[in-house]
Amino acid sequence: MSFIEEFQANIEALPNHLRRKYALLRDLDKSLQGVQTQNEQRCDKEIEDMIQRIKAGNVTPDSSLIKFSDDALDEQKHAIRIADEKVALASQAYDLVDAHIQQLDQYLKKFDEDLRRERDTAVVTGAPATTVENNVKSGRSGEGKGGRKKTRLATAAAATATAATPSGMDLDLPVDPNEPTYCFCNQVSYGEMVACDNPNCKIEWFHYGCVGLKEQPKGKWFCTDCAGTQKKRKGK
């Protein structure tokens, strides 16, 4: 059984375990409310009796007789025990969920390590996984504009190999010094990118955030540098 299959089997039983514990919590809470109500009524009555006895002169205000009855004290202790049981049940429910979260964290960590190893191996062996970006670049010179159009999706696929980083922020992940950089920000490929349709564009590829895009542009798209060049040509 793989890790994910084992995790799935364990997580399927979690809701039933939690339901049982929550049901016990509700029962304890109901019992606690009953004990508290009964104790409040008893204490109120005993306090009223004490006030009446003090007024009648049967006891002095500083008398050691001014105290709650043993029954009232026992009820208070019983309420504390029920409250402690509720805390213990809540802790058990928390530990159940936390254990599954930790198990999932371990799986994600292992999965991330496997991905990194595959990417490192691909870098060393020159596997296709590391040449996707190079293929995208070569598509421009080898296939012309049509090839560039087709490789925009390939760039998005290549971007999943690196962490998506908001525009204008430094990349925290280690970057291969030999990895090509793009865009006005002169950073490596990440997130979604768009290609300039000017075959002579010096930069070629741009991050969506750096050029103010939120989705794939329709038709031809030119960067600000090349857009100015295109306008000058049309003016002539």
Side-chain angles (χ1 to χ4, degrees), residues 47-67:
I47 291 172
E48 183 64 27
D49 290 343
M50 290 178 192
I51 293 174
Q52 294 299 326
R53 281 187 289 170
I54 292 173
K55 288 181 177 180
N58 295 330
V59 293
T60 58
D62 58 349
S63 174
S64 60
L65 296 176
I66 300 179
K67 62 179 182 180

Side-chain angles (χ1 to χ4, degrees), residues 10-186:
N10 291 337
I11 200 71
E12 287 177 352
L14 179 61
N16 288 331
H17 291 314
L18 291 177
R19 273 194 292 269
R20 284 196 293 269
K21 293 192 178 298
Y22 292 154
L24 288 173
L25 275 171
R26 284 192 296 270
D27 291 342
L28 287 173
D29 190 60
K30 185 177 180 180
S31 176
L32 179 59
Q33 289 178 1
V35 173
Q36 287 176 327
T37 300
Q38 181 178 335
N39 186 251
E40 287 173 0
Q41 293 173 349
R42 185 189 299 275
C43 290
D44 287 342
K45 185 175 184 306
E46 292 183 2
I47 291 172
E48 183 64 27
D49 290 343
M50 290 178 192
I51 293 174
Q52 294 299 326
R53 281 187 289 170
I54 292 173
K55 288 181 177 180
N58 295 330
V59 293
T60 58
D62 58 349
S63 174
S64 60
L65 296 176
I66 300 179
K67 62 179 182 180
F68 289 117
S69 67
D70 291 340
D71 289 339
L73 295 176
D74 288 341
E75 286 173 349
Q76 292 169 5
K77 292 177 182 178
H78 184 45
I80 292 174
R81 286 194 296 270
I82 295 176
D84 288 341
E85 288 183 40
K86 286 180 60 180
V87 171
L89 271 174
S91 296
Q92 291 172 12
Y94 175 89
D95 291 341
L96 270 174
V97 176
D98 186 60
H100 286 80
I101 292 175
Q102 291 185 23
Q103 187 181 30
L104 180 60
D105 285 342
Q106 292 175 2
Y107 171 74
L108 292 176
K109 182 179 179 181
K110 181 178 181 300
F111 182 70
D112 183 62
E113 290 173 351
D114 291 342
L115 284 180
R116 289 179 182 275
R117 277 196 298 269
E118 289 178 7
R119 190 166 67 179
D120 292 342
T121 302
V123 170
V124 174
T125 60
T130 60
T131 58
V132 172
E133 191 170 336
N134 292 332
N135 290 339
V136 171
K137 291 270 291 180
S138 62
R140 177 179 182 274
S141 59
E143 298 182 17
K145 293 183 180 179
R148 286 160 53 79
K149 290 280 187 177
K150 293 178 181 178
T151 54
R152 288 183 181 177
L153 292 177
T155 302
T160 59
T162 58
T165 305
S167 175
M169 294 180 63
D170 295 332
L171 293 176
D172 294 330
L173 294 176
V175 178
D176 185 349
N178 298 319
E179 187 171 359
T181 57
Y182 307 95
C183 193
F184 296 125
C185 64
N186 196 33

